[in-house]
Structures are given as C-alpha cells and as structure tokens.
C-alpha cells in the first residue's frame, strides 16, 4: 500500500456533525514555535469511545474501505503552520515521547479526514518508506535518476529550508492529494510526506488524524 484518497466517503451533513461535536471539546494541547508563532491546536479524537459521535460516524466508513481495525492514537487538529518532511511510524513517535498502542488489529496506517477544503490544502507523499527519518538526507535512498521536480511544484514546499528544497527537488514523488470534504486520505505510517505551504496564504485548516 502507498498513499491513496477515497472520495465521497462522508456526506457534508456528517462532516458538519463532526465539526460541531469537536467545537464542544476543550483544546488539549497547543504548540508554538520558539519565536511564539502558533503551530497548531490539538483536541482528543475520542475515536476510542464507541458512545461518542466520531466513532458512530467514522467507524463503519473506515471498516468498509480498510477492513477491521483498532484505534492506536490520533487527534483533531487545527493547523496554522504546514508540516515539514516527516513520517509517522511508531519508532518516530516513541522517539518523541508520543504514546502509541498496538493491538492484534494494528494495520500501521495513517488516516486523515479533512474538515475543510481549499485549493492550497494538499498532503504530498514521496516514494520512500523509512523505518526512521533523519532530515540530513545522507541516505542513498534519496538519490533519484528521474528529472527534478518542477519549479511550480517546489512552490508547494517552500516552507522548507533552501538546503532541504535542494534535496526535495530530486525526490521521487508518489502522489499529491488534495483535501476534499467527504474524503479520506490513507497512507503507510512509514511513508515520507509533508504538507503544502498553506501558511503563506494566511490560511489554517482542520482535520481528524487517526493511527490504526
């Protein structure tokens, strides 16, 4: 499996119901950069509670496209700064002290359910599956014989440093997935990916992220 998008999984009414539900929950965590700039707000997903709205709306839909699964982590997030290159595998999360729980139904899949859409909201996946990711680009895996990514594409990732961009433009692209209301984005947790740079358009975006 590599990253893919499933369209028209949720109705607008279901997404509105989720938005309204999360609006009633308190913010559990807020992250800032050292300079004070806001990165994101986090709320608990409560997908692990079968009596709650997210489970009732989401579970049967995910089961239909992914099969039986269990919740190993996740959250609602309101992002003000785009994610840079990273992967989401368990070893990376353990290294950062983020608790992750495995189960017999563990699929090692990341799931993102957009709660908004815009032409500048994309998640970009590269064709690299990594046990760990260190942003020094010393691994030969990043070498590519393919043509460099276009200048137009590189505008999407210009929240990275010049040095990082010099490497990224030589990466092999897997896919670019546009956020759409009703869609579900899924990917192997060890797949390298990043957000497009929506911050330069003075935008913020909300989604539910689940680890299964």
């Amino acid at each position: 499996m590599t990253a893919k998008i499933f369209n028209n999984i949720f109705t607008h009414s279901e997404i509105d119901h989720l938005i309204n539900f999360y609006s009633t929950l308190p913010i559990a965590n807020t992250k800032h950069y050292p300079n004070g700039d806001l990165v994101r707000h986090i709320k608990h997903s409560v997908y692990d509670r079968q009596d709650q709205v997210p489970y009732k709306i989401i579970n049967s839909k995910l089961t239909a496209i992914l099969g039986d699964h269990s919740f190993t982590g996740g959250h609602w997030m309101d992002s003000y700064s785009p994610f840079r290159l990273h992967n989401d595998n368990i070893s990376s999360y353990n290294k950062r002290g983020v608790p992750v729980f495995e189960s017999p139904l563990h699929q090692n899949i990341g799931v993102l359910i957009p709660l908004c859409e815009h032409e500048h909201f994309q998640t970009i996946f590269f064709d690299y599956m990594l046990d760990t990711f260190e942003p020094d680009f010393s691994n030969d895996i990043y070498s590519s014989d393919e043509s460099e990514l276009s200048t137009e594409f590189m505008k999407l990732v210009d929240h990275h440093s010049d040095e990082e961009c010099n490497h990224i433009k030589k990466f092999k692209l897997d896919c670019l997935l546009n956020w759409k209301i009703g869609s579900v984005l899924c990917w192997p947790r060890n797949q390298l990916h990043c957000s497009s740079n929506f911050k330069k358009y003075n935008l913020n975006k909300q989604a539910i992220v689940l680890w299964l």
Side-chain angles (χ1 to χ4, degrees):
M1 174 188 178
T2 58
K4 62 179 66 176
I5 188 168
F6 299 89
N7 290 312
N8 303 314
I9 301 300
F10 299 100
T11 66
H12 280 263
S13 176
E14 288 171 328
I15 293 298
D16 286 343
H17 198 177
L18 288 167
I19 291 170
N20 290 335
F21 171 80
Y22 283 109
S23 72
T24 68
L25 298 186
I27 292 173
N29 180 266
T30 297
K31 181 178 179 181
H32 292 84
Y33 285 121
N35 65 3
D37 287 350
L38 179 61
V39 179
R40 68 189 65 89
H41 295 302
I42 298 292
K43 297 182 180 182
H44 297 303
S45 72
V46 301
Y47 184 63
D48 55 330
R49 295 179 53 181
Q50 297 185 16
D51 61 329
Q52 294 295 315
V53 167
Y55 184 92
K56 292 178 179 179
I57 292 177
I58 297 171
N59 183 261
S60 62
K61 305 293 183 81
L62 292 188
T63 299
I65 60 177
L66 297 175
D68 291 336
H69 61 277
S70 60
F71 174 78
T72 64
H75 49 258
W76 170 97
M77 67 177 182
D78 182 13
S79 296
Y80 290 77
S81 292
F83 279 99
R84 297 157 74 94
L85 278 174
H86 67 286
N87 64 2
D88 303 302
N89 62 356
I90 290 175
S91 60
S92 295
Y93 272 55
N94 287 339
K95 189 174 181 180
R96 287 183 279 170
V98 179
V100 178
F101 308 97
E102 294 190 61
S103 77
L105 295 176
H106 184 236
Q107 296 192 38
N108 207 27
I109 292 174
V111 170
L112 186 147
I113 301 169
L115 299 178
C116 56
E117 65 178 69
H118 192 280
E119 62 179 323
H120 298 304
F121 294 165
Q122 296 114 350
T123 303
I124 301 163
F125 293 90
F126 297 96
D127 197 17
Y128 304 105
M129 306 292 177
L130 306 171
D131 291 333
T132 59
F133 170 64
E134 299 295 341
D136 58 7
F137 305 103
S138 57
N139 196 320
D140 289 340
I141 191 174
Y142 302 119
S143 301
S144 174
D145 295 329
E146 299 195 1
S147 301
E148 292 187 355
L149 295 170
S150 69
T151 301
E152 198 64 27
F153 173 87
M154 292 305 298
K155 293 177 182 178
L156 298 174
V157 296
D158 58 8
H159 51 296
H160 293 82
S161 69
D162 290 343
E163 180 182 2
E164 290 169 329
C165 286
N166 284 334
H167 290 282
I168 292 172
K169 69 182 180 182
K170 300 175 183 177
F171 278 12
K172 184 178 179 181
L173 180 67
D174 178 23
C175 59
L176 185 154
L177 301 182
N178 294 290
W179 287 28
K180 296 291 184 183
I181 292 292
S183 66
V184 176
L185 285 65
C186 300
W187 66 94
R189 292 186 59 178
N190 64 341
Q191 185 167 7
L192 191 62
H193 60 285
C194 67
S195 169
S196 59
N197 188 3
F198 59 87
K199 183 177 180 179
K200 63 184 176 182
Y201 302 103
N202 296 315
L203 299 169
N204 63 297
K205 60 183 185 179
Q206 300 81 40
I208 301 166
V209 178
L210 304 172
W211 311 123
L212 308 178

